[in-house]
Amino acid sequence: MDALEHLEAEKMGAVDTKKVDDLRRRQDHQNFLLKLLTDKNSFLRRRIINQTIPFLNGRLNHYTRTLGLPHVVKFDADMSCTVAEFGRELDFGNLSAGEKKRVNTSMALAFRVVLHHLHAKTNLLLIDELDGALDQNGIDSIVRVLKEKSRDEDMSVFVISHHPSIAGRLDRDLKIIKEQGFSRIEQS
């Protein structure tokens, strides 16, 4: 029997139109909700953002100060971001690589706090290459913040790094060694 004969011989069950209609209504409703939350002109989106922005900006600037930056970083209601130093607005592209890294780290930590404030907390934080473009003071300040978060929030923090100054600064070191296409783990 060829494929066409097989398909013609197969019987189709009755279609439950009520179930199809219910699924279509649910999909329409979910699309409506998605539009309410993502359309930049949505009253609901604006209300949620306006309620959350002051808290986000407060946490963001707490982290920029903690990481040793003199910058004031602020999100506006349209989620655009401004960076200022001593009252003068700066273009993000004009920051040094280390300043950008610390601003980005501050943003990531601030958004994490906001999400924890709005939803259930997680006790895990993964950071890849935290040391890229940072001087020793920048690395020291970020490691200090991560250790405080780990202790104060009972959180496991995993840092992936190639920088030798990170080794031995956290509770435990795992070294991953790749040889001839295979990786192995050494625990210090």
Side-chain angles (χ1 to χ4, degrees):
M1 179 182 280
D2 70 349
L4 180 59
E5 290 172 347
H6 182 70
L7 285 173
E8 289 173 341
E10 196 171 296
K11 302 271 191 243
M12 282 189 51
V15 175
D16 184 353
T17 57
K18 182 180 178 333
K19 187 172 183 176
V20 171
D21 289 342
D22 288 344
L23 289 172
R24 188 168 288 129
R25 274 193 293 279
R26 177 185 282 183
Q27 181 182 21
D28 291 344
H29 182 69
Q30 288 173 345
N31 286 336
F32 172 72
L33 291 175
L34 179 64
K35 187 173 181 180
L36 275 178
L37 293 173
T38 58
D39 183 346
K40 70 178 185 175
N41 297 318
S42 163
F43 73 93
L44 184 59
R45 180 177 185 264
R46 282 196 310 263
R47 178 129 190 232
I48 291 170
I49 289 173
N50 287 337
Q51 287 179 338
T52 307
I53 288 286
F55 181 68
L56 172 65
N57 285 335
R59 298 313 308 157
L60 180 56
N61 284 292
H62 162 75
Y63 287 117
T64 56
R65 283 189 307 276
T66 303
L67 296 178
L69 288 171
H71 303 88
V72 174
V73 182
K74 183 179 132 195
F75 279 96
D76 296 319
D78 64 354
M79 291 306 290
S80 62
C81 184
T82 57
V83 179
E85 183 178 21
F86 307 120
R88 181 177 52 113
E89 194 168 317
L90 301 173
D91 182 58
F92 184 78
N94 290 337
L95 299 177
S96 73
E99 288 171 330
K100 287 177 188 175
K101 184 69 166 187
R102 286 187 277 172
V103 167
N104 287 334
T105 301
S106 297
M107 285 182 185
L109 293 172
F111 274 110
R112 187 175 192 280
V113 171
V114 169
L115 288 173
H116 283 183
H117 185 70
L118 297 172
H119 305 289
K121 293 186 178 191
T122 59
N123 64 351
L124 178 67
L125 178 60
L126 303 171
I127 299 175
D128 186 20
E129 299 296 342
L130 87 91
D131 52 344
L134 288 172
D135 60 7
Q136 193 58 49
N137 288 336
I139 292 172
D140 292 344
S141 62
I142 289 178
V143 167
R144 186 180 64 254
V145 167
L146 295 176
K147 288 173 103 172
E148 287 172 7
K149 288 190 82 52
S150 175
R151 181 191 65 238
D152 297 346
E153 298 178 25
D154 193 28
M155 178 176 25
S156 297
V157 178
F158 292 86
V159 177
I160 300 166
S161 175
H162 294 97
H163 204 282
S165 73
I166 302 279
R169 307 256 325 257
L170 302 169
D171 292 342
R172 192 173 1 173
D173 288 337
L174 295 177
K175 188 174 186 179
I176 301 174
I177 301 165
K178 187 172 183 178
E179 295 173 330
Q180 299 175 351
F182 293 94
S183 297
R184 62 184 168 82
I185 298 174
E186 286 182 4
Q187 188 168 342
S188 303

